Amino acid sequence: MPNSRQHAGSHAHMHAQTRTRERRQRLAHEAARLMAEGGMRDYHQAKLKAAQRLGIHDDASLPRNREIEDALREYQRLFAGSDQPAELRRRREAALRALDFFRDFEPRLVGAVLDGTADANTAVSLHLHDDDADAVPRWLDEHGVPAESRSRHLRLDRDREGDFPVWLFGAEGLSFDVTVLPADVLRQAPLSAIDEKPVRRASAVQLRALLADDEIAGYEGA
């Protein structure tokens, strides 16, 4: 039979695990609140800011990105009310027009507008595919779309990663965030920062089907 010292040690270990789990939940919900209310879209930045605000500094208490995403969905369900679905649909409809505009670049919708967590602060994020890094800025310039250049670090797969050009611009009163990737990346999506699996993405055909499903769901819920 375990002696009293072993029993006390086991109890202390369970108590520490419970406290860590509770801190992770608190941090996940605070990070989700920061993302929902402040327009933050970087999970790592949101979790560090939440940890600073709550005064929690041990790495074991930092939630996984997936936990923050789940908390964000719950926050939106509880607090966003009727605005969030309308903002999401507005962005999905604009994304469909953007996919048509960029059709020569094999465009795909990615991010919060696709996964359903987009709100009034969310940009429409697209992946374009072309081996000519100058093709997209030329296209934007030819169509009179002023854009700001950035870069983004992405992991293409387990062995390849790098910095890729990003173009930020506004249209229809919305913000757009366009990452330009090599043509061969179309075969397999880059890895997600949330779970390190290939990111979910949608073509124009897939997005059109998603919008149709949303409309049917809206009728059934009315």
Side-chain angles (χ1 to χ4, degrees), residues 54-122:
L54 297 178
I56 298 173
H57 303 296
D58 59 304
D59 290 344
S61 296
L62 292 177
R64 296 182 181 276
N65 292 342
R66 179 62 69 189
E67 294 175 84
I68 299 173
E69 184 181 52
D70 290 342
L72 178 59
R73 291 182 188 277
E74 179 67 8
Y75 184 94
Q76 290 176 333
R77 186 182 70 80
L78 292 173
F79 301 112
S82 60
D83 291 343
Q84 193 268 338
E87 294 289 354
L88 174 61
R89 184 168 185 87
R90 180 186 175 206
R91 281 157 177 77
R92 284 179 170 174
E93 290 173 345
L96 187 59
R97 291 186 287 274
L99 291 173
D100 181 62
F101 176 73
F102 287 115
R103 59 188 173 277
D104 290 347
F105 300 100
E106 298 287 356
R108 296 293 185 269
L109 175 65
V110 297
V113 175
L114 177 58
D115 70 33
T117 59
D119 55 30
N121 298 307
T122 307

Side-chain angles (χ1 to χ4, degrees), residues 122-135:
T122 307
V124 178
S125 295
L126 304 179
H127 284 177
L128 308 185
H129 303 84
D130 201 293
D131 289 330
D132 180 359
D134 295 324

Side-chain angles (χ1 to χ4, degrees), residues 9 23-25 34 47 54 97 103 114 116 135 157 160 162 178 182 192 199 202 205 211 215-216:
R23 285 196 297 263
R24 285 170 70 99
Q25 290 175 343
L34 290 170
K47 104 175 51 166
L54 297 178
R97 291 186 287 274
R103 59 188 173 277
L114 177 58
D157 52 40
R160 294 187 301 161
V178 172
S192 168
V199 297
V205 171
L211 282 165
E215 192 165 351
I216 292 169

